[in-house]
Amino acid sequence: MKKICFFDTTLRDGEQGIGYLLSNEKKLKLLPRLIDLGVDTIEIGMVTDENSERFFYEAASSNINFKDTYIASLCRLKPDDIKRTILALSRFKKTKLNLLCVGSEIHIRKKFDSTKDSILLMLKDSLEYIANSDYTGKISAILEDSSRGSFDLLEEKIELLASYHVNDICFADTTGCATPLYISNLISYFKNKFPNIRLSVHCHNDLGLAVANSISAMDAGADEVQVTLGGVGERCGNASFEEIMAILSYRSEYKNRFKADIDMKDLIDLCNFYYEIINKLPHPNKPLLGEYAFSTCAGIHQNGIKKFPETYEFINPDTLGLERKFYFNRLSSSKISQQDI
């Protein structure tokens, strides 16, 4: 049974969602809960200013038991950023310096107004800088916008990264434009091309496919998926941690193939805790977490659920500490009253 690792970026990419900024105090409340959940890697931020840098020191000097969790920081390919990030990570036992790399020709031309050779040289210079530093943790790389990059460009990037022993590569569907078939082909191709590289995906939800794309990546051989609690994040959000975990936990074709070492009920509890501390509610129709996730007003469904819940519930909310609700209107069953609930 293959182990699927989770890379949680709620504290970094998640707070890029409009209205989801987190104070350092709130991050310090979430961090130990994520660790206790058993998340493999937690990206706690990006060292870009004094406040973000301060959080790394506050976390490291807290009483949090980090266990075997990797603490990661996204890092741009700039010497000053790399220097500050290495310093910020130096207080933790297990770390990942997560390099933000260019993954598409669109970004080369239109974001950087540059050429492929210049971008490759920038990456090479950054890798040399790290190699000559005192950093002893792991190095990973995320290829931004790689779902729109050519395979030739991605191959060159991975070859360069691998030559510096960076064997942990993430493909980012930055604009959320990918489909499950595309992701399957992407992972399959590079898994065959680089069998010793550990591959992961970072999927956005602009077309409502972040979870489906993440599952497709696992099917094709990905070793890890990047997620956020509740799927929060920029624009339409990221791949939802609890939705992916529910598929691995409840679908027989996945629970018999993959293990994740995450307790589903604990994850739901943590999601609810997250929404509490940010003083928000998930969308009412949000799978698993929304007010209406286990609710119905349809009479046929109500009648079936009263007899046997599994007739219209794939997941029993009781097992997750959640509650089913019946709402009543002209579509409801005339045989059921509110007193029956």
Side-chain angles (χ1 to χ4, degrees):
M1 188 176 289
K2 181 176 179 178
K3 167 75 182 295
I4 293 293
C5 295
F6 283 96
F7 181 115
D8 185 276
T9 184
T10 306
L11 304 185
R12 201 277 303 170
D13 206 21
E15 72 165 353
Q16 291 184 178
I18 307 302
Y20 287 91
L21 273 176
L22 292 164
S23 66
N24 287 358
E25 181 183 5
K26 289 180 178 179
K27 287 185 179 183
L28 286 173
K29 291 179 179 178
L30 278 167
L31 184 54
R33 293 284 297 265
L34 283 164
I35 293 168
D36 290 342
L37 184 68
V39 178
D40 302 278
T41 301
I42 303 172
E43 190 171 54
I44 67 171
M46 188 174 182
V47 184
T48 56
D49 55 34
E50 289 184 4
N51 183 65
S52 60
E53 192 170 26
R54 189 183 309 116
F55 176 65
F56 282 78
Y57 297 121
E58 289 177 1
S61 59
S62 69
N63 294 321
I64 295 172
N65 180 0
F66 289 92
K67 303 178 183 178
D68 289 323
T69 308
Y70 279 96
I71 297 300
S73 174
L74 189 65
C75 183
R76 294 174 297 192
L77 303 183
K78 297 180 177 182
D80 187 56
D81 280 24
I82 295 171
K83 180 180 179 180
R84 293 174 70 180
T85 302
I86 288 174
L87 183 61
L89 288 172
S90 65
R91 295 190 177 187
F92 298 93
K93 182 177 68 172
K94 298 180 73 172
T95 63
K96 281 186 184 177
L97 181 63
N98 192 25
L99 296 174
L100 180 62
C101 304
V102 184
S104 74
E105 286 82 358
I106 293 172
H107 276 212
I108 290 174
R109 294 192 307 268
K110 297 186 176 181
K111 178 180 177 180
F112 289 94
D113 189 23
S114 188
T115 64
K116 182 180 73 172
D117 288 344
S118 295
I119 291 296
L120 285 168
L121 180 60
M122 180 173 67
L123 175 57
K124 185 176 185 297
D125 288 344
S126 296
L127 292 167
E128 285 286 345
Y129 184 94
I130 297 168
N132 292 319
S133 73
D134 58 359
Y135 180 67
T136 58
K138 283 194 173 185
I139 306 169
S140 58
I142 182 167
L143 305 180
E144 187 179 21
D145 199 38
S146 47
S147 55
R148 294 193 294 176
S150 70
F151 279 21
D152 287 343
L153 172 64
L154 299 177
E155 194 168 320
E156 285 191 68
K157 283 292 183 79
I158 294 173
E159 284 177 346
L160 177 56
L161 288 160
S163 72
Y164 282 83
H165 308 290
V166 180
N167 298 314
D168 197 340
I169 308 292
C170 180
F171 295 110
D173 181 25
T174 304
T175 63
C177 67
T179 63
L181 179 59
Y182 181 84
I183 291 293
S184 178
N185 291 337
L186 176 74
I187 296 297
S188 296
Y189 178 85
F190 285 103
K191 199 70 177 175
N192 288 330
K193 191 76 178 179
F194 300 96
N196 296 321
I197 295 291
R198 185 173 178 270
L199 296 180
S200 63
V201 290
H202 174 105
C203 298
H204 279 266
N205 203 41
D206 298 70
L207 296 179
L209 291 171
V211 170
N213 286 337
S214 299
I215 293 294
S216 182
M218 292 182 213
D219 282 332
D223 305 286
E224 180 179 75
V225 288
Q226 296 197 3
V227 296
T228 61
L229 299 173
V232 300
E234 195 171 14
R235 301 186 311 276
C236 304
N238 292 285
S240 168
F241 194 165
E242 70 283 354
E243 290 176 33
I244 293 173
M245 194 60 224
I247 293 169
L248 299 186
S249 299
Y250 291 101
R251 289 294 307 182
S252 59
E253 69 270 36
Y254 289 101
K255 69 181 181 181
N256 294 326
R257 287 169 52 210
F258 300 120
K259 65 175 182 176
D261 299 332
I262 303 287
D263 182 85
M264 192 65 211
K265 185 178 182 303
D266 289 346
L267 176 54
I268 294 297
D269 289 344
L270 177 54
C271 289
N272 287 327
F273 176 73
Y274 169 66
Y275 280 103
E276 283 178 19
I277 69 169
I278 61 174
N279 196 29
K280 287 182 179 291
L281 292 173
H283 188 279
N285 299 109
K286 173 79 173 71
L288 301 170
L289 302 175
E291 180 183 354
Y292 303 145
F294 296 98
S295 302
T296 181
C297 65
I300 293 174
H301 291 211
Q302 291 174 344
N303 189 268
I305 290 171
K306 283 296 292 182
K307 293 175 180 176
F308 299 101
E310 61 268 26
T311 54
Y312 288 100
E313 288 178 352
F314 174 60
I315 298 172
N316 187 326
D318 295 340
T319 64
L320 301 178
L322 300 173
E323 181 184 358
R324 71 175 60 85
K325 296 178 182 178
F326 286 179
Y327 289 80
F328 295 90
N329 60 22
R330 64 182 177 82
L331 302 176
S332 305
S333 173
S334 60
K335 298 179 180 179
I336 298 175
S337 69
Q338 295 192 36
Q339 286 74 30
D340 294 326
I341 307 307

